[in-house]
Amino acid sequence: ACLPCTPHPPAPSVVAPVSRRCRDIRSVDVAKLDPVPRSLYTRSNPRSKITRRARARSEKTSFSPTFAMDVLFAFTGDKFAVVVSDTIAVQQIIVQKDDMEKIMDLDSHKVLGLTGPKGDCVYFGEYVQANMKLYELRNGAPLSTRACAHFVRTSLADALRSGPYQVNVLLAGYDKESDEASLYFMDPYASMMKVNSGGHGYGGMFSLSLFDKHWVPDMSREAAAILVDKCIAEVKERLVTAPSKYHVKIVDKDGTHCEVYDCAAKAAVAAVAEHAAK
Amino acid sequence: MARRYDSHTTTFSPEGRLYQVEYAMEAISHAGAAVGVRTDHGVVLAAEKKILSKLLETGTSSEKMHKLDDHLGVAVAGINSDANILINSARLTAQRYLMTYQEPVPMEQLVQTLCDQKQGYTQYGGLRPFGVSFLFGGWDKNCGFQLYQSDPSGNYAGWMATAIGANATAAQAILKTEYKEGMTLLEAKQLATKVLKQTMDSTKLEAEKVEMSEVGWVNAETKENVEYRVLQTKELTALCDEANAEAEAKAAAGKK
């Protein structure tokens, strides 16, 4: 047998409508009115729920992503795609590490390059990686590059109006069915475009005009290597704190390959060759 | 004895059976039959209509056939109101997938999601299971044309040809003998009609008593687009007449 419940207070015979915003003046006891009506000072009262909620929302949605000093650019070639990023991790003026991976492997034939605040990049990148893996496990086959790109964009779009991921994305992948490599550009506002070439940040911007001049459809590997050299040289010349080490990731039918592009080493090699030629 | 264990859907009996699920399947065995046949050129779903009335508005809604997406259709056997809930949920799943991935949902994923939902009602919540079995016919780029069957327990399987609803076992036996690999879509339609005729009560098959739909290429040569299509009365009448004629010929030959 259950314990006897305490009797509930009798329900009111008429349910008066209660508005959250403003009290219906007819339902308020005049004697208990506040000296200043609530609606007038809630915005400035930091303890008020309304102010807290409004401030939280404005802080979350009105972000202005600063241009990160990360270098990230990419372009497509003949059945392959190249994604280049720098490898430097900086906190204010300190270089924390110079071998950071900013281009993640999503699966055997897809890479995701991310720039922006490190926390968002790592979290969002791992989130996409995990979901790609989960999809492949559940359904026996990986997603196509296009579907993956749309998934990434949808994730960014869903978070946009509550807590956006402040990441700049370049997604490159090779699809066996179409025997083609494709590249997708996304910004922190969840816009997406399938592109032939693209770049994020200052470093990316410098390469854009080089792409305009030198990119052609179905580039060969050699031509792609020359274009990468040109872009990195431009970055080194024009960016005030240009990194000297880069990761060049290539996606093609054999998977993803990463090459470390060390400007200092290359310069040394070139100097030696020049000296030998003399 | 079973009485003690059959009222709560989520309770096993001592023999390890879920009675509510079995009773749900029993309910489906009284519903109109549905037959599905898969070929390399398309999938055919055929069903027997139970609600026959001259006053029914046939143009607006279908009793047994439903479109889940452009490349996916489903035939229902069981309680139609239960089916509507699940069909709505399947359509949502398909569109959510399309919105996220910008690709049509692969069939097995959709069937899995729906079956997971059905299974939930056999394990928790205290609600009765859905009294519906489905035949899913459709296409996706990974596995081509596929036919799946699901039942109230939430189990599903892929089939080359199968039947659900009334006289399903008899229909399956006929399909086992008559199905061959490499059939064309027309042959599949003829087979489905024949099987329906043999499992339905009446002697003569009429187009009003049958509903049929197919998922096939829009253009058989280019093979670009797949489309779910409900067959028109004209085509149905032709198929039914063919099936009737064949049966009569066989009966006449048998008498000799």
Side-chain angles (χ1 to χ4, degrees), chain A residues 132 135 138-139 141 143-144 146-148 150-152 154 158 177, chain B residues 96-106 108-109 112 141-142:
Chain A
M132 290 300 112
Y135 187 97
R138 269 195 188 144
N139 306 305
L143 274 173
S144 65
R146 184 172 169 272
C148 174
H150 280 281
F151 170 78
V152 174
T154 312
D158 286 339
E177 301 136 353
Chain B
R96 276 193 200 118
Y97 188 97
L98 186 63
M99 193 175 107
T100 306
Y101 298 101
Q102 294 294 312
E103 278 182 351
V105 60
E108 186 158 2
Q109 282 187 50
Q112 261 177 354
K141 66 175 166 70
N142 302 323

Side-chain angles (χ1 to χ4, degrees), chain B residues 131-238:
Chain B
V132 212
S133 270
F134 288 115
L135 281 181
F136 299 87
W139 179 92
D140 66 48
K141 66 175 166 70
N142 302 323
C143 308
F145 288 107
Q146 299 151 77
L147 173 70
Y148 289 95
Q149 181 208 334
S150 76
D151 61 23
S153 64
N155 285 321
Y156 73 91
W159 293 82
M160 295 185 272
T162 187
I164 51 176
N167 299 325
T169 30
Q172 293 234 325
I174 302 168
L175 282 169
K176 220 190 222 176
T177 49
E178 304 269 348
Y179 179 84
K180 358 184 256 295
E181 299 265 338
M183 281 201 287
T184 64
L185 202 53
L186 180 61
E187 284 170 357
K189 285 190 240 190
Q190 289 164 343
L191 174 60
T193 326
K194 186 158 89 169
V195 171
L196 257 191
K197 178 175 160 35
Q198 290 182 3
T199 56
M200 271 165 74
D201 295 329
S202 57
T203 44
K204 259 187 126 59
L205 200 60
E206 279 155 48
E208 294 86 48
K209 294 190 192 159
V210 172
E211 256 182 45
M212 219 193 278
S213 68
E214 64 170 22
V215 180
W217 300 113
V218 171
N219 184 334
E221 283 92 46
T222 56
K223 296 203 177 170
E224 274 168 359
N225 279 320
V226 177
E227 174 197 51
Y228 164 87
R229 187 176 72 85
V230 179
L231 269 61
Q232 303 292 318
T233 325
K234 215 169 54 167
E235 211 179 332
L236 272 179
T237 324

Side-chain angles (χ1 to χ4, degrees), chain B residues 5-20:
Chain B
Y5 303 99
D6 63 5
S7 42
H8 292 113
T9 141
T10 54
T11 318
F12 275 114
S13 79
E15 300 97 49
R17 296 158 68 176
L18 287 169
Y19 279 109
Q20 281 300 307

Side-chain angles (χ1 to χ4, degrees), chain A residues 72-73 198-199 202-212 231 234-235:
Chain A
L72 181 67
F73 58 85
Y202 297 119
M205 267 199 287
F206 297 141
S207 14
L208 288 181
S209 31
L210 283 163
F211 291 143
D212 279 345
C231 290
E234 190 67 25
V235 168

Side-chain angles (χ1 to χ4, degrees), chain A residues 132-176:
Chain A
M132 290 300 112
K133 187 72 189 169
L134 181 63
Y135 187 97
E136 197 177 333
L137 285 169
R138 269 195 188 144
N139 306 305
L143 274 173
S144 65
T145 310
R146 184 172 169 272
C148 174
H150 280 281
F151 170 78
V152 174
R153 192 210 88 80
T154 312
S155 310
L156 287 170
D158 286 339
L160 183 64
R161 293 192 183 278
S162 46
Y165 295 109
Q166 299 180 25
V167 294
N168 295 294
V169 173
L170 276 173
L171 174 84
Y174 172 83
D175 290 308
K176 276 200 192 74

